Amino acid sequence: MSGTATAAAHPARYPGAPAGQPTVDTWQEAPHNRWSFAHLGELLPTAAVTRRFPAAPEAATNRLDALIPRVPNLLERLEATYTDAFLVLRHNQVLAEYYRQGFAPDDRHLVMSVSKSLCSLVVGALVASGDIDPAAHVTTYVPELRGTVYDGAPTNRVTVQHVLDMTIHIDYSEDYVDPASEVQTHDRSADWRIRRAEDPGNTYEFLTTLRGNGTLGTFQYCSANTDVLAWIVERTSGLRYSEALSKHLWSKLDADRDATITVDSTGFGFANGGVSCTARDLARVGQIMLDGGIGPGGRVVSEEWIRSIFAGGSTDAMAGSSFSRIHPQGSYTRQWWCTGNERGNVTGIGIHGQYLWLDPQADAVMVQLSTWPEPDSGFFHGLQNRLLLDVGDALDASSTQAPIHSKEHIA
C-alpha cells in the first residue's frame, strides 16, 4: 500500500509557495501575484460579466415535450419544488430539459452535498491506483487526526471505509439553521459564514477538534467526513483537493465548463458541499456511473467501485433515519444514497433540493437542481423523489413505443 504519511504541510497553492500564502493581505505582492492574478476568485469575491445580455431568456428554457404526456403536471411539479434546472439523460442523450426564468443551460449551480458523491469518485480512483486502502486507519494517512474521533479506540480503529459510509458516532449536529451547531462552525471555518473569534482558523483545524464516543457501525450523516476524505486525497496524491478533483474526474467528463469549488483561507476545497457546475456536466458524472466507471477521457473508477455503490450499504445501519422513511430499504455507502427499491435508484443529494438521480433500469440520469426555501425538508424530499420515480416509470412506458423526442447526445 502506498500513500502512508506522517504529519506534513498542506499542498501549496502554487509550486514553491510558502505555507499559508498568499493571503488577502499579500496576494498583490511578488511572487504571489504571478499566481493570484489568475486565481483571484480563491481570494476575493468575484462576479461574472456574462457574455449574454440579458443573462438568460425572458421565459423559462424548456424542452419537456418528451415527458409531459406521461408525467402528470410536470411543469407545475417542477415549479412547486423551486426547480432551477432539470435534465433527463437517457442512453447518453438529452431527452428532456428545463431551466427556470433567469437561469440558463450553461449557468453553474451550487450542488451542495452532491459534492460528497463527486468526492467518492476521486477516492475510488485512488483506491484503484493503490494509493488509498479503504481498510486502513484514517490516522495512517492523516496523523494530525490522532486523538480525535477519527482515531478511535485501540481495539476499534476508524477506517477509511467507516468515513466513506458515515458509520461513526461524532459529536456533530447537522442542524443547518442552529448557530450553535457544529455544521455552522464547520461553515464558518471554511469561510461560508462570518467567523467568530473562538472558531478554528480553517477547515483542517476544525476537523482536529471533533470528538465522539467511538461507536462504529451506525449511520450518522456528518459533513465533516467528506472533508476528512479530501484531506486523505491531498495527503496521498500530493495535490490540492481541487486539483485532484480535476485530474481524477472533471478532466475525464468532456465537460462543457470548468466546475468551481469554494476554498477556505488555506485554499482547501470544501469537498462536502462547495462544488458548482452545470446540470449537463453533472449528468455526465451520472453517465460515468451507469457506464461502469468509464468516461470520455478514460476510466475514472473501477467497475468494482461502481458495483459496490449500486449494491447498496447496510440497511441496518440506516434504520430509523429520515431517508429510510422515504425508502424503507435505503442505505448509504461510499458517499452515495441507495434507495434499495426495485428500480435500483442511487442518488447524490444536497440540501435545498440538489439531486443527481441514477436509474439503471431505464439507463437514465436525472438532474434536479433546486432552491427550496428551507435546507432539509421531508415534504420537499417526498415531492422530488416522487417526481423522479414518476419520470422513471414514464421512461419504461416509452421504451416500447415510437421515439418521443428528437434526442441530443450530451457529448
Side-chain angles (χ1 to χ4, degrees), residues 153-356:
T155 58
N156 205 25
R157 301 298 295 279
V158 178
T159 68
V160 176
Q161 192 67 54
H162 289 126
V163 180
L164 282 162
D165 295 344
M166 298 208 189
T167 52
I168 314 163
H169 176 274
I170 303 176
D171 294 335
Y172 185 105
S173 167
E174 193 92 13
D175 186 339
Y176 304 105
V177 297
D178 179 6
S181 67
E182 283 76 15
V183 72
Q184 284 213 9
T185 305
H186 193 174
D187 282 355
R188 293 194 299 270
S189 300
D191 295 321
W192 269 39
R193 298 175 187 268
I194 296 173
R195 185 177 289 122
R196 300 173 179 176
E198 68 273 17
D199 288 334
N202 55 62
T203 310
Y204 299 117
E205 290 182 12
F206 170 77
L207 296 175
T208 67
T209 69
L210 295 177
R211 301 293 184 267
N213 66 18
T215 302
L216 301 174
T218 300
F219 175 74
Q220 179 194 337
Y221 188 77
C222 175
S223 288
N225 288 323
T226 312
D227 288 340
V228 168
L229 293 173
W231 196 346
I232 293 170
V233 165
E234 288 194 340
R235 208 37 77 72
T236 56
S237 69
L239 301 172
R240 299 173 63 202
Y241 178 71
S242 56
E243 296 169 331
L245 184 60
S246 171
K247 176 180 179 179
H248 295 292
L249 179 59
W250 220 255
S251 64
K252 298 185 179 183
L253 293 181
D254 192 23
D256 287 335
R257 295 199 66 185
D258 294 342
T260 63
I261 185 169
T262 64
V263 296
D264 68 8
S265 60
T266 69
F268 184 42
F270 206 40
N272 82 81
V275 173
S276 295
C277 64
T278 69
R280 285 190 166 209
D281 286 342
L282 190 58
R284 288 179 165 95
V285 176
Q287 190 64 48
I288 284 175
M289 296 286 290
L290 294 183
D291 289 343
I294 298 176
R299 180 162 291 283
V300 176
V301 292
S302 69
E303 287 186 69
E304 174 58 30
W305 192 260
I306 300 296
R307 282 197 301 268
S308 296
I309 292 169
F310 278 102
S314 168
T315 55
D316 291 339
M318 179 69 75
S321 70
S322 58
F323 187 72
S324 63
R325 287 195 288 274
I326 298 176
H327 302 288
Q329 299 303 310
S331 62
Y332 188 90
T333 188
R334 292 165 175 80
Q335 306 282 291
W336 289 84
W337 299 89
C338 310
T339 66
N341 64 9
E342 61 184 10
R343 302 192 66 86
N345 294 128
V346 166
T347 183
I349 302 175
I351 59 171
H352 292 282
Q354 323 316 315
Y355 271 78
L356 171 56

Side-chain angles (χ1 to χ4, degrees), residues 6 36 42 70 79 81 88 92 95 102 107 132 139 153 157 175-176 193 205 227 237 256 276 333 359 382 388 399:
T6 56
S36 60
E42 289 199 25
R70 297 179 176 89
E79 292 172 348
T81 49
V88 178
N92 200 19
L95 181 69
D107 282 340
I132 294 177
T139 54
R157 301 298 295 279
D175 186 339
Y176 304 105
R193 298 175 187 268
E205 290 182 12
D227 288 340
S237 69
D256 287 335
S276 295
T333 188
D359 192 326
L388 296 168
S399 64

